[in-house]
Amino acid sequence: MRKKIVAGNWKMNLTLEEGKQLSSEIKDFVRQNPLQNLKGQPGVILFTPFIHLASVAADVAESEGLEAGAQNCHTEEKGAYTGETSAMMIQSAGAGNVLIGHSERRSYFGETDEVLAKKTEIALKNNLRPMFCCGEVLEERNAENHFQVVKKQLEKGLFWLSPVDFAKVVIAYEPVWAIGTGVTASPGQAQEMHAYIRSIIAEKYGDIVAHNTSILYGGSCNAQNAEELFAKEDVDGGLIGGASLKAADFSTIIKSFS
Ligand code: PGA
């Protein structure tokens, strides 16, 4: 059975102190509301800035189902790449997850499908669970190209993986027009795309792998709309940006499975 997941993407927000405070509030919430007792038994991942990662990973280490992750990694293991952070370093900081291909990385940092395939490879090699992001921009949706765009992103980024490796990946569908805009995909739009993604996974890797792949929705998902989105059959949780920065909102989202 595929895992339900609620992940917070802190992006470039919060000082170290603020980040530690937020993670300790989420930890308290999980202590009072053990994830395995909540509806959907969700796993929770905090994707923090690199500066916060080792502290947050240590802080949540004893909390069942609560994990830390990085928002990016370099394509190489190590070397002369000033300012960069490798998958091996993330693993050594005690984090088990990494976001790959967030639309902000694709658009502001020019990360191509080829680069993202390499990042996925190095992440898996270092025993990190990649959360691979995909999604179309508004013009692509308006031109009704959104299925094709997402298909291409997945084919180039992931579909070259062996079935064993693919089974370790989580997918986050994040329509770019919904990220940070306050405009959320309707539950129907999310379900339609998630079902499509599952269908192309089934074509490539078979029904069992497709059935077991967690596909999260991201893009202005918040405490008010999470329940309706998570109620959809193929929506296995969310990747939450803005609403993950407040413990109360994020906790409400964690409890939103029905
Ligand atoms: P948002 O961001 O929830 O603030 O729209 C989601 C994301 O970018 O992962």
Side-chain angles (χ1 to χ4, degrees):
M1 192 55 197
R2 59 185 179 258
K3 183 108 191 96
K4 307 280 188 199
I5 298 172
V6 176
N9 175 10
W10 294 1
K11 309 194 179 187
M12 196 175 74
N13 292 298
L14 308 175
T15 64
L16 180 56
E17 278 316 306
E18 289 166 346
K20 283 185 185 169
Q21 175 66 27
L22 178 56
S23 91
S24 93
E25 285 171 20
I26 304 296
K27 198 171 81 168
D28 286 347
F29 166 78
V30 170
R31 193 180 305 127
Q32 285 153 21
N33 304 269
L35 297 170
Q36 63 271 27
N37 298 345
L38 294 180
K39 284 184 192 149
Q41 307 186 334
V44 174
I45 306 171
L46 304 178
F47 287 102
T48 79
F50 284 121
I51 293 286
H52 306 56
L53 192 57
S55 314
V56 170
D59 192 35
V60 303
E62 306 296 321
S63 301
E64 184 72 30
L66 178 57
E67 299 175 19
Q71 298 169 13
N72 180 32
C73 68
H74 196 263
T75 51
E76 302 300 323
E77 194 90 56
K78 58 181 170 179
Y81 302 101
T82 302
E84 290 295 318
T85 302
S86 73
M88 189 172 64
M89 294 171 191
I90 294 167
Q91 176 60 241
S92 75
N97 301 273
V98 62
L99 278 183
I100 307 271
H102 190 280
S103 72
E104 288 149 19
R105 300 290 322 168
R106 291 177 190 262
S107 64
Y108 304 149
F109 301 96
E111 296 191 1
T112 61
D113 291 325
E114 291 69 25
V115 165
L116 299 176
K118 278 196 195 166
K119 291 191 175 194
T120 303
E121 182 177 28
I122 198 98
L124 287 165
K125 191 171 159 215
N126 285 279
N127 296 317
L128 297 176
R129 184 202 291 139
M131 185 177 289
F132 189 90
C133 306
C134 58
E136 79 286 355
V137 300
L138 189 58
E139 295 70 35
E140 291 163 338
R141 177 161 283 262
N142 288 342
E144 296 185 1
N145 274 338
H146 45 299
F147 293 116
Q148 270 313 106
V149 168
V150 168
K151 185 176 189 194
K152 182 169 159 271
Q153 290 171 341
L154 293 176
E155 281 175 348
K156 296 217 168 175
L158 295 180
F159 283 2
W160 54 275
L161 291 171
S162 70
V164 171
D165 277 342
F166 182 83
K168 298 172 188 161
V169 174
V170 171
I171 292 174
Y173 167 59
E174 299 202 299
V176 181
W177 46 272
I179 296 178
T181 58
V183 180
T184 317
S186 69
Q189 285 173 320
Q191 168 58 26
E192 185 185 35
M193 180 59 86
H194 285 226
Y196 173 73
I197 292 172
R198 210 177 295 290
S199 77
I200 57 175
I201 297 170
E203 274 170 32
K204 173 72 189 169
Y205 292 105
D207 288 341
I208 295 173
V209 172
H211 182 77
N212 288 333
T213 303
S214 298
I215 308 174
L216 314 187
Y217 169 78
S220 298
C221 182
N222 58 37
Q224 285 73 45
N225 59 30
E227 190 169 347
E228 230 191 327
L229 286 159
F230 295 179
K232 290 293 176 190
E233 192 184 337
D234 289 291
V235 178
D236 304 312
L239 177 56
I240 321 295
S244 73
L245 298 174
K246 291 209 179 96
D249 286 354
F250 193 57
S251 305
T252 301
I253 297 171
I254 295 169
K255 286 195 287 188
S256 292
F257 292 97
S258 47

